[in-house]
Amino acid sequence: MSLTPLLYGVINVLLVLLISPFYLTLIKKVKARVQGRSGPHLLQGYWNLMKLCQKEVIYSDYSSFISRITPYASLALLIVAGDKLII
Amino acid sequence: MSELFLVSIVFFALAGIVPLCLQRRTARMTSGLILGLGSVFLIAGSGMVLIAGTKEMVFVTELTGMFPVMLGTDRLTAVFTLLLGLLSLAAGMYTPGYLERMHGSGRLYLVSGLIPFFLLSMLFVLLSRSTFSFLAFWELMAVISFFLVLTEYEEGKTRRAALFYLAMTQISTVCIFLGIIALSVITGSFGFPEKLSGEDPLCALSFFCLFLGVAIKAGVVPFHKWLPYAHPAAPSPVSALMSGMMISTALYALFRIITLFYIPQISWGLIILAFGCLTAIFGVMYALKEQDLKGLLAYSSIDNTGIILIGIGVWIILGISGFPVIATMAYIGALFHAISHGIFKGLLFMTAGSVCLSSGTRNIDELGGILVRMPRTGLLFFIGTLCISAIPPFNGFVGELLIYQSLIGALSDLEPLFQVVMICTLSLFSLTSALTAVCFVKAYGLTFLALPRTKKAEQTREVTTGMIAGPAVLAGASILGGVFSSQVLGVLGYPGLLPDLFTVGLLLVISGGFVYAAVWLYASRQTKVAITWDCGMMRPTCRMEYTGSGFTEPVVRIFSSVYRPKFSLEKQYLDPDNCLFREGKAGIRLIRFFEEYLYLPAAGFICQYASRISGLQNGSVDRYVLYVFIAVVALVIMVGWSA
């Protein structure tokens, strides 16, 4: 197995991860323009993410391990799915 | 290698005899231990036969010259004995703990003794190498399982379920009996016939008799109705064995019949495929609306039987149409799914049994919040849920993937008729898979998550170590069987059918670690546990949770032509103009289609016929004298006529 496809896979995943907040903001921007507003700054998605990351995590006292692992698991699954498309 | 099988047979028999003879508490533990030891030998033996691929006889004897009892192994048998070994290992660990908490005294020894004999009878069915011994052990299996279903005989429901089961299983035996007699007429012996041509009408007749017998036992729609009654009524280790192993034994019989006995016809493939689609889709639909946790699992067994039948049907059609490689894929898929279904259904029934035992209810709407109270059982059930919903890299995914691939693989080169058939099958199969996922989101979410709905669920406590170790063995087997599936198939001589799920698993672990590390490095590490956000109104209670019927309501509405829900509304008013509402009743009733339109009319017909016949046999002596008189007169006339 050569390493090139693996490298492409890694690059692909990183690119997807880096670019997706930008797309979210872009959609908001377009929506706002259509409605005649000016809309958020194009980098607002990244700023939001940075701010949210600084907040503490609150779990409900009824919650189980499912709600703790689900965010990690869903992101990991998406990354593997993206990887599989390349390999 | 055959010695290993003999040793395990002896161990199984011993495990059955010990608790029946020595009625002491320790005898049940000893029985479990012996059963576990025997199953280790069985697993080792089947593994060796699987890898070596040899055919050999284990044991041969004869009752008389006509009725040979032959036991032997080959690869197909070894695949299923491996499953039997795994399930008996788990049952050996699980059963003593379960019986400890069950009420009743004498019957505990009976159950603990009958379970090994039940396993033994299924082992004999798998090992049989003559149709006579197959029939004998098949009947033994049916009778022992009938007594096991009847364990909690005080409840009227259980008695009814057991009688229903007995009637259906006897019909199954009658069908197989007829099939075997037809076979012995064709070949002149009770040995396994080989490669009979399906064009001979007697051969076709014998095939359909055998298929009907197997179909009843495997819970194929429309002969499935006994299964959701009988499987939940039995104690949980028995339900696990019935759903995990007895259905697989019936499917083994189908695999054996169709690969060895006959050269299958393409019409047989179509019939099996049609039954498969029907079974899969109805099984999952009924599972979806079931409120009884064990009943839901029983219906989902029916659905999986359907998936396996689809695989077999596709194998026959593609094999005859000239696509041997893709046909093999379907066959391996069906076989793999039969084994993995046995493993994860055993796991699900055992963990569900722990939940039902410690909460004292099987109704999903009375459970809830179990995961906090039984974390280990909950985790194991979660693994079972992932397997049955066909999530990669677990073993439920592998078989379904192979069947999907085979359905799509030959699509463009088939004849138009079969293209249509394949596409219809594919769409029904996809719907089945999707609904299975919904069904198990319901089973897991409503049972294990959120708040307990009743006092019973609140007082649930975690079960003993043995009752966790048993299902844990099966959970381990499901994970390993999925992750190393392509390696296992490679060793057995079928490489390249599957993508390497080990890589997928590895990638999942790596990227999971990567995500965790990224979050750990960059995000805040503070966590807090607080009450659920209540909008500033009141603390959330269990009355605000989803209920089972609420969860499945959209599906019931979409498929209302299948479920035929009947809504009833009764209102009473205080005044004559119907303005002031006093009280009322509302209800939703789902029609039990097969029971109301198929079983009851058939039963009614038989009753009518029987009552007509019984008019002739009314016990009065005068009437019998009249019969004798008429017979004598008729004889005299006949003899006189012929002279």
Side-chain angles (χ1 to χ4, degrees):
Chain A
M1 192 171 126
S2 75
L3 278 176
T4 331
L6 201 68
L7 195 68
Y8 280 144
V10 171
I11 292 173
N12 183 50
V13 165
L14 287 180
L15 195 70
V16 167
L17 285 177
L18 271 179
I19 222 166
S20 41
F22 175 75
Y23 265 93
L24 278 177
T25 340
L26 194 67
I27 290 169
K28 273 184 193 155
K29 187 92 176 165
V30 170
K31 245 186 199 166
R33 279 296 168 83
V34 168
Q35 291 167 351
R37 293 181 282 120
S38 66
H41 189 271
L42 273 177
L43 293 180
Q44 187 65 45
Y46 297 96
W47 297 338
N48 284 351
L49 218 55
M50 272 165 65
K51 179 144 191 189
L52 285 174
C53 280
Q54 297 310 313
K55 302 219 168 211
E56 64 176 358
V57 184
I58 303 178
Y59 293 109
S60 160
D61 51 357
Y62 315 139
S63 70
S64 54
F65 75 95
I66 303 267
S67 48
R68 282 166 201 255
I69 62 168
T70 303
Y72 301 108
S74 64
L75 190 53
L77 281 172
L78 281 178
I79 288 175
V80 173
D83 244 17
K84 271 283 149 189
L85 283 180
I86 300 294
I87 300 174
Chain B
M1 278 170 255
S2 59
E3 295 79 22
L4 284 175
F5 283 92
L6 280 178
V7 169
S8 61
I9 288 173
V10 172
F11 270 91
F12 277 31
L14 204 62
I17 293 167
V18 165
L20 287 181
C21 294
L22 301 171
Q23 303 226 335
R24 262 186 241 119
R25 236 188 99 236
T26 45
R28 298 204 298 260
M29 300 291 274
T30 322
S31 158
L33 201 67
I34 299 172
L35 190 62
L37 263 175
S39 53
V40 170
F41 281 110
L42 190 58
I43 293 169
S46 354
M48 280 159 76
V49 171
L50 257 181
I51 291 166
T54 49
K55 272 187 192 179
E56 57 182 310
M57 282 296 163
V58 175
F59 181 73
V60 179
T61 180
E62 279 178 33
L63 290 182
T64 67
M66 267 204 59
F67 301 117
V69 175
M70 291 194 269
L71 302 180
T73 55
D74 62 2
R75 265 188 150 175
L76 184 60
T77 299
V79 171
F80 283 92
T81 47
L82 184 68
L83 170 65
L84 182 70
L86 281 171
L87 279 172
S88 21
L89 185 60
M93 292 176 176
Y94 182 84
T95 317
Y98 185 88
L99 292 179
E100 199 74 5
R101 292 175 69 166
M102 228 172 84
H103 55 90
S105 57
R107 89 181 92 178
L108 300 187
Y109 300 102
L110 200 62
V111 172
S112 150
L114 279 181
I115 285 176
F117 279 122
F118 181 42
L119 286 164
L120 193 61
S121 67
M122 290 195 284
L123 181 60
F124 280 142
V125 171
L126 296 177
L127 292 177
S128 286
R129 281 297 167 277
S130 68
T131 47
F132 171 72
S133 55
F134 177 83
L135 182 69
F137 293 127
W138 180 272
E139 186 55 16
L140 188 68
M141 170 177 93
V143 171
I144 295 178
S145 54
F146 164 70
F147 283 119
L148 284 171
V149 170
L150 207 53
T151 306
E152 285 168 15
Y153 57 86
E154 293 93 344
E155 286 179 44
K157 250 176 145 179
T158 309
R159 285 201 299 271
R160 190 168 163 262
L163 276 179
F164 196 1
Y165 170 53
L166 187 66
M168 292 305 281
T169 192
Q170 289 308 307
I171 295 174
S172 147
T173 308
V174 166
C175 290
I176 286 187
F177 193 51
L178 289 177
I180 283 175
I181 286 178
L183 277 182
S184 73
V185 167
I186 296 165
T187 61
S189 79
F190 281 109
F192 274 2
E194 272 183 40
K195 299 289 173 197
L196 299 173
S197 162
E199 282 158 11
D200 184 3
L202 194 58
C203 274
L205 183 73
S206 66
F207 169 73
F208 283 111
C209 284
L210 289 174
F211 177 66
L212 194 62
V214 168
I216 293 173
K217 201 78 179 175
V220 171
V221 172
F223 318 112
H224 66 289
K225 206 60 218 197
W226 62 271
L227 204 149
Y229 289 128
H231 284 200
S236 295
V238 179
S239 340
L241 293 179
M242 283 176 82
S243 249
M245 199 55 222
M246 203 168 71
I247 288 180
S248 299
T249 310
L251 290 168
Y252 156 79
L254 186 60
F255 277 111
R256 174 67 73 194
I257 289 164
I258 209 121
T259 52
L260 182 71
F261 289 15
Y262 301 96
I263 303 169
Q265 300 284 301
I266 206 155
S267 55
W268 299 2
L270 285 174
I271 290 171
I272 293 179
L273 193 63
F275 270 116
C277 291
L278 203 68
T279 308
I281 200 77
F282 276 110
V284 74
M285 276 184 160
Y286 286 116
L288 202 56
K289 62 121 184 95
E290 189 64 41
Q291 296 293 70
D292 179 340
L293 186 57
K294 281 169 82 178
L296 185 146
L297 294 178
Y299 270 120
S300 121
S301 299
I302 296 174
D303 145 37
N304 282 289
T305 301
I307 292 173
I308 293 157
L309 286 191
I310 289 176
I312 297 176
V314 171
W315 170 68
I316 295 175
I317 292 172
L318 292 182
I320 294 173
S321 313
F323 300 94
V325 179
I326 303 175
T328 311
M329 204 187 247
Y331 182 74
I332 298 291
L335 202 54
F336 200 99
H337 196 70
I339 302 305
S340 40
H341 169 246
I343 295 175
F344 61 65
K345 195 42 71 70
L347 163 64
L348 285 170
F349 257 114
M350 282 181 188
T351 40
S354 307
V355 171
C356 299
L357 187 72
S358 54
S359 64
T361 175
R362 298 204 310 237
N363 188 346
I364 291 179
D365 278 344
E366 291 179 10
L367 294 165
I370 305 287
L371 189 56
V372 186
R373 289 162 183 79
M374 305 173 77
R376 287 181 221 151
T377 305
L379 181 66
L380 291 172
F381 194 92
F382 188 61
I383 292 172
T385 309
L386 291 179
C387 292
I388 202 167
S389 317
I391 307 285
F394 295 94
N395 65 356
F397 173 71
V398 178
E400 292 199 18
L401 179 74
L402 285 172
I403 298 174
Y404 269 120
Q405 279 181 336
S406 63
L407 277 171
I408 300 169
L411 201 56
S412 52
D413 302 326
L414 275 170
E415 286 173 47
L417 170 68
F418 294 126
Q419 281 183 334
V420 174
V421 169
M422 290 292 163
I423 290 174
C424 290
T425 311
L426 194 60
S427 51
L428 284 176
F429 188 20
S430 329
L431 182 62
T432 308
S433 306
L435 288 179
T436 307
V438 177
C439 175
F440 277 88
V441 167
K442 170 184 165 177
Y444 192 78
L446 297 183
T447 311
F448 285 95
L449 303 182
L451 284 176
R453 292 188 181 76
T454 52
K455 204 94 191 157
K456 285 179 194 166
E458 210 169 316
Q459 287 165 351
T460 308
R461 291 286 167 271
E462 184 62 285
V463 287
T464 50
T465 325
M467 287 177 76
I468 293 164
V473 169
L474 297 177
S478 319
I479 295 172
L480 291 180
V483 169
F484 294 107
S485 52
S486 65
Q487 283 83 348
V488 168
L489 288 184
V491 168
L492 297 183
Y494 301 99
L497 290 180
L498 275 174
D500 190 357
L501 285 180
F502 179 61
T503 326
V504 177
L506 206 63
L507 274 176
L508 267 177
V509 171
I510 291 173
S511 47
F514 166 73
V515 169
Y516 186 79
V519 171
W520 195 78
L521 280 179
Y522 294 109
S524 154
R525 287 172 211 166
Q526 270 186 313
T527 56
K528 199 166 94 178
V529 174
I531 62 164
T532 310
W533 168 241
D534 53 5
C535 309
M537 305 283 278
M538 59 186 281
R539 203 175 157 82
T541 68
C542 61
R543 291 291 304 271
M544 300 174 184
E545 283 170 28
Y546 240 148
T547 59
S549 11
F551 190 83
T552 46
E553 199 275 339
V555 182
V556 171
R557 197 155 281 240
I558 293 168
F559 296 106
S560 57
S561 53
V562 176
Y563 294 117
R564 310 267 183 92
K566 280 185 185 149
F567 303 98
S568 60
L569 196 59
E570 279 174 39
K571 286 186 194 166
Q572 289 178 345
Y573 297 94
L574 288 171
D575 61 318
D577 298 325
N578 292 355
C579 290
L580 299 172
F581 178 73
R582 193 172 66 180
E583 59 180 355
K585 249 197 256 176
I588 305 174
R589 188 177 155 274
L590 300 181
I591 202 164
R592 283 183 289 187
F593 181 81
F594 290 102
E595 219 167 3
E596 287 171 33
Y597 287 90
L598 192 73
Y599 286 73
L600 286 180
F605 174 75
I606 291 171
C607 274
Q608 233 176 17
Y609 179 74
S611 68
R612 243 178 250 159
I613 294 292
S614 73
L616 296 174
Q617 281 271 11
N618 62 351
S620 98
V621 179
D622 299 353
R623 186 171 290 195
Y624 291 136
V625 171
L626 179 70
Y627 292 156
V628 171
F629 179 69
I630 291 172
V632 168
V633 169
L635 262 179
V636 166
I637 290 172
M638 260 173 63
V639 171
W641 201 274
S642 59

